[in-house]
């Protein structure tokens, strides 16, 4: 029995590993594409149900809660306002603790805002993963079948080469498409969440200031 040189053995191992990854790569690309399509539908639904809050609305709410500036007035104004429910829940929760000191109330507000930030980050996490890994899997799906395809070309097997090229092109397109859709979704949602958190932060600061003045 002829001994196999070490370099040839290592090359054989690499070849087996790379070829064994083709099926998982294709499955991953299909899963990413399916998730991107579902997420795009969710984005459309979120857009249709999204409550837009203008600067004038924020200004009016701040003005209303400042007169007379009591916790009951803050709750009433928020309950009657046309803002997302998340705003109402947090501001009302802050206004429900007039017994707390300034630092404690600020800590509560900061914790509530951090919870909203974590929720937004979690919502963006999956599409961000698809944005980064979709093209990567597409590239892997391009390179993996090209090895056997080029080897088949050397032996004159055009059909095997053609099949390898088809797989390479298909995986590239699917990977780029999934990544592109996910990037678009993340971009739009990130802008929405930044606006949401900015408005929430403004309302929290105004509420804290009004309640502090109310205690003096």
């Amino acid at each position: 029995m002829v001994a196999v040189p070490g370099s040839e053995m290592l090359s054989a191992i690499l070849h087996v590993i790379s070829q064994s990854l083709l099926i998982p790569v294709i499955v991953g690309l299909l899963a990413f594409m399916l998730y991107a399509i579902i997420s795009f539908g969710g984005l459309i639904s979120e857009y249709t149900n999204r409550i837009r809050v203008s600067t004038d609305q924020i200004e009016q709410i701040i003005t209303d809660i400042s007169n007379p500036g009591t916790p009951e007035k803050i709750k009433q104004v928020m309950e009657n306002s046309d803002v997302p429910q998340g705003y109402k829940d947090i501001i009302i929760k802050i206004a429900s603790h007039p017994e707390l000191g300034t630092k404690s109330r600020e800590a509560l507000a900061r914790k509530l805002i951090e919870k909203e930030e974590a929720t937004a980050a979690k919502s963006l996490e999956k599409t961000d993963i698809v944005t980064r890994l979709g093209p990567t899997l597409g590239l892997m799906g391009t390179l993996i079948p090209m090895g056997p395809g080029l080897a088949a070309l050397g032996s004159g097997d055009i059909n095997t080469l053609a099949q390898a090229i088809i797989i390479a092109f298909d995986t590239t397109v699917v990977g780029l498409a999934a990544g592109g859709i996910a990037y678009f979704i993340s971009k739009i949602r990130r802008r929405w969440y930044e606006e949401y958190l900015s408005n929430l932060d403004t309302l929290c600061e105004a509420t804290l200031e009004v309640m502090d003045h109310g205690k003096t």
Side-chain angles (χ1 to χ4, degrees), residues 24-74:
V25 164
I26 293 175
V27 172
L29 284 171
L30 292 176
F32 280 178
M33 192 65 194
L34 179 61
Y35 178 77
I37 293 173
I38 294 174
S39 296
F40 188 75
L43 180 72
I44 295 175
S45 175
E46 188 175 348
Y47 174 78
T48 57
N49 296 322
R50 179 170 174 259
I51 300 176
R52 297 163 183 79
V53 181
S54 65
T55 304
D56 292 338
Q57 286 178 279
I58 297 295
E59 181 181 355
Q60 186 61 51
I61 291 174
I62 294 175
T63 301
D64 292 341
I65 66 175
S66 299
N67 184 21
T70 61
E72 291 73 20
K73 179 64 174 180
I74 294 174

Side-chain angles (χ1 to χ4, degrees), residues 6-215:
S7 59
E8 292 185 9
M9 181 178 293
L10 292 176
S11 297
I13 293 173
L14 287 176
H15 178 73
V16 171
I17 293 174
S18 66
Q19 294 305 306
S20 65
L21 290 175
L22 181 58
I23 298 299
V25 164
I26 293 175
V27 172
L29 284 171
L30 292 176
F32 280 178
M33 192 65 194
L34 179 61
Y35 178 77
I37 293 173
I38 294 174
S39 296
F40 188 75
L43 180 72
I44 295 175
S45 175
E46 188 175 348
Y47 174 78
T48 57
N49 296 322
R50 179 170 174 259
I51 300 176
R52 297 163 183 79
V53 181
S54 65
T55 304
D56 292 338
Q57 286 178 279
I58 297 295
E59 181 181 355
Q60 186 61 51
I61 291 174
I62 294 175
T63 301
D64 292 341
I65 66 175
S66 299
N67 184 21
T70 61
E72 291 73 20
K73 179 64 174 180
I74 294 174
K75 295 178 186 178
Q76 179 184 358
V77 170
M78 293 307 301
E79 288 173 352
N80 295 332
S81 63
D82 186 20
V83 297
Q85 188 62 40
Y87 291 176
K88 296 181 181 181
D89 293 341
I90 291 177
I91 301 303
I92 290 175
K93 185 171 292 187
I94 295 173
S96 298
H97 295 282
E99 76 283 356
L100 296 177
T102 300
K103 295 295 183 181
S104 298
R105 201 158 43 240
E106 288 178 356
L108 174 61
R110 184 166 56 251
K111 192 63 180 178
L112 294 173
I113 293 175
E114 287 175 356
K115 183 179 179 182
E116 292 296 303
E117 291 175 346
T119 301
K122 186 176 180 180
S123 177
L124 295 170
E125 190 175 66
K126 294 180 180 178
T127 48
D128 284 344
I129 290 174
V130 176
T131 298
R132 289 168 173 79
L133 293 186
T136 300
L137 290 184
L139 179 59
M140 291 177 65
T142 300
L143 298 177
I144 290 172
M146 290 307 295
L150 294 175
L153 177 62
S155 61
D157 188 355
I158 303 300
N159 290 331
T160 300
L161 175 63
Q163 185 65 30
I165 292 176
I166 290 173
I167 295 174
F169 282 148
D170 288 346
T171 53
T172 301
V173 170
V174 172
L176 291 175
I181 295 173
Y183 175 79
F184 175 79
I185 294 171
S186 291
K187 191 74 172 178
I188 297 298
R189 279 183 172 161
R190 183 168 283 106
R191 179 170 58 82
W192 289 350
Y193 296 159
E194 287 175 354
E195 180 182 347
Y196 174 87
L197 292 171
S198 175
N199 290 337
L200 178 60
D201 186 63
T202 300
L203 288 175
C204 285
E205 288 186 4
T207 301
L208 292 172
E209 183 179 359
V210 167
M211 294 188 69
D212 286 344
H213 287 171
K215 294 184 68 174

